[in-house]
Amino acid sequence: MRFFIFIVLMLGITGIARAQMSDAQVIEAVKEAQAQGKSQDEIVVMLAEKGVTKEQVMRIKENYEKQGSNQGGLSQGNRERVDTISVGNRDVVLVTEGDQKSIFGRNLFSNKNLTFEPSLNIPTPDNYKLGPGDEVIIDIWGNSETTIRQVISPEGNINVSGIGPIYLNGKQIKEASSYLKNMFSRIYSDLSSENSGTFLKLSLGQIRSIQVNIMGEVVMPGTYTLPSLATVFHALYSAGGVNNVGTLRDIVVYRNGKLLKRVDVYEYIMNGDDSFDITLQDGDLINVGTYQKIISISGNVKRPMRYELKNDEGLSKLLDYAGGFTSSAYKKNLNINRKGDTEHQIFTVFSEEYPSFVLADGDVVTVDPILEKYKNRVSINGAVFRDGNYAINDAIKTVKDLVLVAEGPREDAFLDRAILYREKDDLTREVISVDLGKLLNGEIEDIPLKKNDNLYVPSALALREGYVINIRGEVKSPKEYPYVDNMTLEDAVVQAGGLLESASVVRIDVARRIKSPKSTTEAQEEAQLFTFALKDGLMIDGAKSFLLEPFDEIYVRRSPGYREQRNVQVIGEVLYPGVYAKMSVNDRLSDLIKRAGGVTSKAYVKGARLERRLNQDELLRISSAQKLARFTEGDSISMESLDLGKTYYVGIDLEKALANPGGEADLVLREGDVLYVSNYINTVKISGAVMYPNAVTYQRKMKLRDYVDNAGGYSMNAKKRRAYVLYSNGTLAVRRGWKRPKIEPGCEIIVPMKLERKNRFGLPEILSLTTSTTSIAAMVTAILNNTK
C-alpha cells in the first residue's frame, strides 16, 4: 500500500528565480503539505512557487529508483518500492512500502535520501544559542564599514580590537546581536543613537559541532559528532534508525540529566507534527527503548502492514494508522488472531467494540471482504435494447417492469418463449418459461422478480441457421454470400460483381436443397435443378425473376464459344521471330514457321528444338514417379534429387515437319511453346563418366568411341553400355548392345556412371555428375512424350 506521496512533478515546470530548496527541504515540504490534506495540484503549485525545478525533482526520483538495489547495508529487511504513474501531464512518484511484513515507519531512518541533515544555507535562527566553535560574522556599515569574523573560544569569548573580550557563550542570536551593538557603541558612538548612521548585523559562519549520545535500541548506538543545527531525527538517521526491537513511539531526549522531550515518530508521519523534532545541544542524550506491541493488519485496509502501538491505543487507532477500510471491506466485524499462553485464540470483534477493544503484542487483525453476492440484482439479456444488470426496487418489481426498463424487446425478439433463470434457496437454478408476448399484453399474470433472476429474450434470427447462398463460376467474385428475404437470381449475380465476359448467358444453373421437415421416408433426389438465361444481368424475354432460397447454389457456366488468345513463340533463324497467337487448336510447327516468314539461310533446321511448359497432369505424373522409385535402377542420379523446373524440351524433327506439313513429325503446338531454330553447330560435347569432359569438332567419319577417346576415354566407374546421345533437337538415342547411335553436329554424348554410395567422389566424378543432369532431363522428356 502507499506510504506517502513523495513528490509531484509537473512536466514543463520551470524554476522561479529565488533560492532553491535542498532535496531534504523538498521532501519535508511535500510531506507537510500532504499531512495538511493538500491536493496534488496544490502541491505542484507550492513547489513551483518555492523555486523547485524539474531537474531537481527528476534527480530525487532517480535517487529513489536506485535505492531499490541497495539500502546501504543498514536496513536489508525494510526496503521501499518506488512506483511512477501518470496523472494528466504530470509524473507522480509514489514511495510505497515494499513488504507487508515490515513495520510501518521503520524505514524512515534507513532511507539514504531522507537524511534529515540540517540545511546550512538558511538564515541563522534567532533562537540559535552560540557556543565555543561557532564562527560569528559581524558586519558594520554606514558611516563606518568593517567586517569581523571570529570563532568563539573555548572560554566563550571573541576578542575585538579596541573593545577586548566579548562573552557570547549561551546567548541566542537575537540576544547576542543587541549585546554586540552595545559593546561596539564604545568605538562607534552613533551606533546606538536615535538617528544612527552606522549599522551592525550579526550572522553565523561556520557552525560548531556537538556531541550527542544515542543509546538503546538503535542499529549503531554510540556518541556522534553532529552539526549544531542537527535535530533528533538527524541523530537517529546517523545511528541507522531503530533496530528490530526498538520503538518509534516513545523516543526520550535528556538534557543536563533531565527529561527534555518525548518523541512520537507516528505523530510526525501521520499528522506532520514536527514540534518535537527539536534542535540538539552538546551533551544531549537520546534513548530509544523497546516497543510495547507490534500489531499486524491484513486484508481490506488501505495500508496493510505491521504497526507499533502504545499500550493505551486500541483497535480504532490501528485502523486509523492503516488508512481505514477499503471500499470492499466487510466493516461489521473483523477477526483477531492472538497467541495465548499455550495455544492460539481468535476474537471476533464487532464494530461497536472497535474503540474499546485492547490489542496485545503479536495480534494479527484480518479485515475480510464483503461477499461477492448481490441482494437485489436482476439481469436481462438477449433481444432487448438495453441488456444488463438492474436493481429490484419500487420501479422494478416484476418481469414486465424489467423488460420495460430495458427499453422493451427488439424487433427480432422471439416473444413466444423467453427463459427466466431463477436461483432457488439451495442455490441450485431452475428455468421458468415465459410467453413474453402475452405477458406484455396483459393476457397472462405478471411474474414477481427475485434476487439473481436472469431473463433471456431469444432472437428469432439467432434461432435459425445462418442463411447463405453460394455463387460459383464465371462471375467477378465467386463466393458465399448472406441470404436475405426476396433475394433473386439477378440480385445474387449483381452482388457477385456481375458476369464475366466468358460467362454463358443461356446456361445458369441453380441447385436447391431437398427440404421436407415432416417427411418420414428417405429422399430420392439429391437436389432440385433450375436453369435460366440472363442478358445484362436480367431475365431474358421479360421472364419473372427467380426468388432464391437459403443455401441455393448458383453455377454460372463458361460459354463453349469463348476462346482467349493462346500464344506460342519462335526464336532464332526465322524471318520474323516473336510471339504468335494460335489460329486454331490444331496449329502445328509448319504453321508457325510459315507465319514467321520461313527459316533463314543460316538455319540449322535439323537442330531445332521445342521448349514446353509442364501442365498440371504432367506435374502430377512426375511427382508420382519421384515418390515410387528412382528413374533408372543403379543410375548415378535419382529423380528425387532433380529439379526439373517448369519446362522441358520436346524432341522434334523440324526438317521432316516442313517437308510433310500435317504429317506425324509436324507436332501440334500447345500454349506457351517456344520453338528455337538455331544456326549450324559443328561441335560434339562429351560429358559424364569420362576422364576429361569437353567438346570437339564434328567429323563425319568419327564414331561414338572416337569422341569418347577424345575425352580421355571412359572413367573407372563408367557404364559403357549405357552411353546415349542427346541431339540438339531434343531427341535421344541410346546405345543398345553393339549398335551405337549416330553422331550428328551439335549433339552431346553422355556416359552415365556407376553409383558407389560408400566411395567418396573425386573431381572428375563430380564434374561428370553435374554434366549428366541434362541427359536425365532429356530422358524425362522422352518418357513424357511416350506416355502421350
Side-chain angles (χ1 to χ4, degrees):
M1 300 299 291
R2 297 177 180 176
F3 175 35
F4 62 89
I5 297 181
F6 169 68
I7 196 66
V8 182
L9 170 63
M10 176 180 286
L11 299 178
I13 275 186
T14 56
I16 300 176
R18 62 176 66 190
Q20 185 174 339
M21 302 173 67
S22 66
D23 293 353
Q25 288 174 317
V26 172
I27 295 168
E28 293 180 2
V30 173
K31 290 194 294 185
E32 182 179 356
Q34 187 199 8
Q36 294 172 359
K38 291 184 178 180
S39 66
Q40 292 183 356
D41 289 337
E42 291 173 333
I43 295 176
V44 169
V45 174
M46 179 268 292
L47 293 179
E49 290 176 348
K50 292 188 176 184
V52 178
T53 64
K54 176 181 178 180
E55 291 74 17
Q56 181 182 8
V57 178
M58 292 302 296
R59 183 181 68 250
I60 297 172
K61 172 188 173 184
E62 290 173 359
N63 289 338
Y64 265 91
E65 289 173 344
K66 292 177 182 176
Q67 168 193 333
S69 60
N70 184 14
Q71 291 285 342
L74 294 179
S75 177
Q76 297 301 319
N78 296 327
R79 298 175 183 267
E80 291 179 340
R81 187 180 72 251
V82 177
D83 295 329
T84 303
I85 62 174
S86 294
V87 180
N89 61 345
R90 303 176 181 85
D91 283 345
V92 182
V93 180
L94 305 175
V95 180
T96 59
E97 294 290 347
D99 186 1
Q100 293 186 10
K101 295 182 179 179
S102 60
I103 299 174
F104 179 72
R106 282 279 177 87
N107 59 354
L108 189 63
F109 301 111
S110 60
N111 188 335
K112 66 179 181 179
N113 295 299
L114 294 173
T115 65
F116 299 99
E117 184 175 354
S119 175
L120 305 180
N121 297 319
I122 60 174
T124 306
D126 289 340
N127 61 352
Y128 178 78
K129 288 186 178 182
L130 297 171
D134 283 337
E135 180 189 30
V136 294
I137 303 172
I138 305 170
D139 290 313
I140 299 174
W141 72 96
N143 294 333
S144 299
E145 293 188 2
T146 187
T147 298
I148 300 170
R149 300 177 68 104
Q150 286 200 23
V151 178
I152 299 175
S153 68
E155 290 76 21
N157 301 320
I158 62 171
N159 199 338
V160 180
S161 177
I163 299 177
I166 301 175
Y167 188 77
L168 296 178
N169 184 39
K171 296 184 183 295
Q172 294 183 355
I173 292 292
K174 186 175 182 180
E175 179 186 358
S177 182
S178 298
Y179 180 65
L180 287 171
K181 190 174 182 181
N182 291 331
M183 296 298 293
F184 273 81
S185 62
R186 298 177 184 179
I187 56 177
Y188 301 102
S189 57
D190 63 341
L191 188 62
S192 58
S193 63
E194 293 184 2
N195 298 316
S196 175
T198 303
F199 306 93
L200 180 146
K201 182 180 180 180
L202 173 65
S203 59
L204 201 60
Q206 296 293 328
I207 64 173
R208 71 184 186 275
S209 296
I210 62 174
Q211 286 190 333
V212 177
N213 295 310
I214 307 174
M215 299 300 173
E217 304 302 333
V218 292
V219 175
M220 295 182 294
T223 301
Y224 288 84
T225 300
L226 305 173
S228 57
L229 291 175
T231 65
V232 176
F233 282 4
H234 182 216
L236 289 172
Y237 176 82
S238 300
V242 301
N243 61 22
N244 291 334
V245 297
T247 179
L248 294 172
R249 307 301 310 277
D250 189 22
I251 299 170
V252 185
V253 182
Y254 294 95
R255 182 170 294 169
N256 299 324
K258 297 181 180 179
L259 188 148
L260 176 68
K261 199 77 173 177
R262 289 187 179 274
V263 177
D264 186 348
V265 178
Y266 275 25
E267 287 295 321
Y268 174 75
I269 296 174
M270 306 301 296
N271 304 319
D273 182 6
D274 61 351
S275 61
F276 44 75
D277 190 21
I278 59 175
T279 302
L280 297 172
Q281 293 185 13
D282 192 48
D284 282 353
L285 171 66
I286 300 174
N287 184 56
V288 178
T290 58
Y291 66 82
Q292 294 177 358
K293 52 186 178 183
I294 299 293
I295 311 299
S296 177
I297 184 169
S298 62
N300 290 266
V301 290
K302 295 176 181 175
R303 191 168 43 236
M305 288 186 67
R306 298 169 68 200
Y307 293 87
E308 181 185 346
L309 268 63
K310 296 180 180 179
N311 283 331
D312 59 349
E313 291 179 336
L315 184 55
S316 292
K317 199 65 178 178
L318 175 66
L319 292 172
D320 291 340
Y321 290 150
F325 295 109
T326 64
S327 59
S328 59
Y330 180 68
K331 305 177 183 66
K332 287 187 177 182
N333 61 66
L334 48 81
N335 291 324
I336 300 173
N337 191 300
R338 177 173 297 173
K339 297 182 180 71
D341 295 335
T342 58
E343 55 187 1
H344 287 270
Q345 291 179 279
I346 190 168
F347 298 87
T348 299
V349 183
F350 294 91
S351 57
E352 59 271 14
E353 300 176 286
Y354 292 170
S356 59
F357 188 84
V358 178
L359 295 167
D361 182 34
D363 280 357
V364 177
V365 181
T366 304
V367 180
D368 294 325
I370 59 175
L371 297 176
E372 290 294 331
K373 296 180 68 176
Y374 293 85
K375 64 180 181 180
N376 65 336
R377 182 186 67 177
V378 291
S379 59
I380 183 172
N381 55 15
V384 292
F385 286 101
R386 292 188 178 275
D387 58 354
N389 297 323
Y390 293 91
I392 299 176
N393 52 33
D394 293 339
I396 308 174
K397 296 180 179 180
T398 65
V399 169
K400 183 175 181 180
D401 295 337
L402 180 60
V403 173
L404 294 179
V405 81
E407 300 293 340
R410 291 201 312 251
E411 294 81 358
D412 63 323
F414 181 71
L415 300 180
D416 292 347
R417 196 177 188 85
I419 302 173
L420 180 64
Y421 295 95
R422 173 159 290 176
E423 185 178 271
K424 297 193 293 186
D425 294 338
D426 60 356
L427 299 184
T428 59
R429 293 169 66 85
E430 63 177 338
V431 170
I432 301 175
S433 300
V434 182
D435 189 329
L436 198 57
K438 292 182 178 180
L439 187 146
L440 294 176
N441 293 329
E443 299 177 21
I444 60 175
E445 187 177 353
D446 203 354
I447 301 174
L449 292 172
K450 293 185 178 181
K451 71 173 184 177
N452 296 327
D453 276 356
N454 172 244
L455 180 64
Y456 172 65
V457 181
S459 166
L461 297 178
L463 291 176
R464 73 182 188 185
E465 192 175 354
Y467 287 171
V468 294
I469 56 110
N470 206 326
I471 184 167
R472 310 171 188 271
E474 303 302 305
V475 290
K476 290 182 180 178
S477 300
K479 62 179 182 179
E480 189 176 83
Y481 292 94
Y483 170 82
V484 295
D485 291 340
N486 297 320
M487 190 177 195
T488 65
L489 177 60
E490 298 99 310
D491 298 331
V493 171
V494 171
Q495 189 169 5
L499 300 176
L500 296 178
E501 184 184 47
S502 58
S504 170
V505 297
V506 297
R507 181 68 186 273
I508 298 175
D509 296 333
V510 178
R512 178 164 293 170
R513 288 183 177 181
I514 302 298
K515 292 172 281 188
S516 181
K518 298 181 180 180
S519 175
T520 58
T521 59
E522 183 180 356
Q524 299 301 315
E525 296 179 320
E526 293 292 335
Q528 289 180 284
L529 186 64
F530 307 89
T531 301
F532 303 94
L534 295 179
K535 183 178 182 181
D536 298 328
L538 299 174
M539 289 289 186
I540 293 179
D541 299 330
K544 186 178 179 181
S545 295
F546 180 73
L547 286 176
L548 297 175
E549 291 185 5
F551 308 110
D552 278 354
E553 297 270 353
I554 303 169
Y555 307 90
V556 179
R557 306 298 180 186
R558 186 180 182 89
S559 173
Y562 181 81
R563 288 288 185 275
E564 297 175 356
Q565 298 90 336
R566 299 184 179 182
N567 296 324
V568 293
Q569 187 177 6
V570 58
I571 298 174
E573 299 299 327
V574 292
L575 288 179
Y576 302 103
V579 177
Y580 291 86
K582 290 180 62 178
M583 302 305 295
S584 70
V585 293
N586 292 322
D587 267 8
R588 298 174 181 265
L589 289 171
S590 59
D591 298 323
L592 178 59
I593 294 296
K594 182 178 180 181
R595 235 175 291 157
V599 297
T600 66
S601 59
K602 300 177 183 179
Y604 180 51
V605 178
K606 203 169 185 179
R609 67 184 186 275
L610 183 70
E611 183 181 11
R612 175 162 289 178
R613 286 200 304 244
L614 290 166
N615 59 25
Q616 291 297 323
D617 182 59
E618 291 165 342
L619 287 171
L620 180 61
R621 282 188 281 120
I622 291 175
S623 176
S624 300
Q626 288 175 332
K627 293 178 181 178
L628 290 175
R630 296 179 182 276
F631 180 72
T632 303
E633 183 181 357
D635 204 351
S636 57
I637 300 177
S638 65
M639 282 194 66
E640 290 86 342
S641 65
L642 292 177
D643 181 9
L644 299 177
K646 297 182 179 179
T647 63
Y648 62 94
Y649 287 105
V650 178
I652 61 173
D653 191 336
L654 184 60
E655 186 177 40
K656 289 184 180 180
L658 295 178
N660 183 23
E664 291 183 0
D666 197 7
L667 190 70
V668 175
L669 296 174
R670 197 165 77 184
E671 181 183 13
D673 283 353
V674 180
L675 176 62
Y676 296 92
V677 182
S678 63
N679 53 13
Y680 182 73
I681 302 173
N682 65 337
T683 59
V684 175
K685 186 176 180 182
I686 308 98
S687 61
V690 293
M691 299 301 294
Y692 182 67
N694 64 355
V696 299
T697 304
Y698 168 76
Q699 296 183 28
R700 185 186 300 272
K701 295 181 179 180
M702 289 180 62
K703 306 297 183 183
L704 185 146
R705 177 69 191 190
D706 301 325
Y707 286 105
V708 171
D709 289 342
N710 274 272
Y714 294 107
S715 64
M716 293 290 293
N717 57 350
K719 286 187 174 183
K720 302 176 184 179
R721 297 181 180 275
R722 300 296 297 273
Y724 54 90
V725 177
L726 177 65
Y727 298 104
S728 56
N729 64 357
T731 58
L732 189 72
V734 182
R735 176 177 176 176
R736 300 185 183 278
W738 295 103
K739 185 178 180 181
R740 294 173 175 82
K742 182 180 179 182
I743 307 300
E744 293 183 356
C747 71
E748 179 180 3
I749 300 171
I750 301 168
V751 181
M753 66 176 64
K754 298 175 183 178
L755 183 62
E756 297 180 8
R757 302 192 182 201
K758 296 183 180 179
N759 295 336
R760 302 179 66 181
F761 292 111
L763 180 60
E765 287 79 6
I766 294 174
L767 292 174
S768 299
L769 178 65
T770 56
T771 55
S772 62
T773 303
T774 306
S775 66
I776 300 298
M779 296 180 71
V780 173
T781 299
I783 291 177
L784 292 174
N785 290 331
N786 291 334
T787 56
K788 291 186 177 182

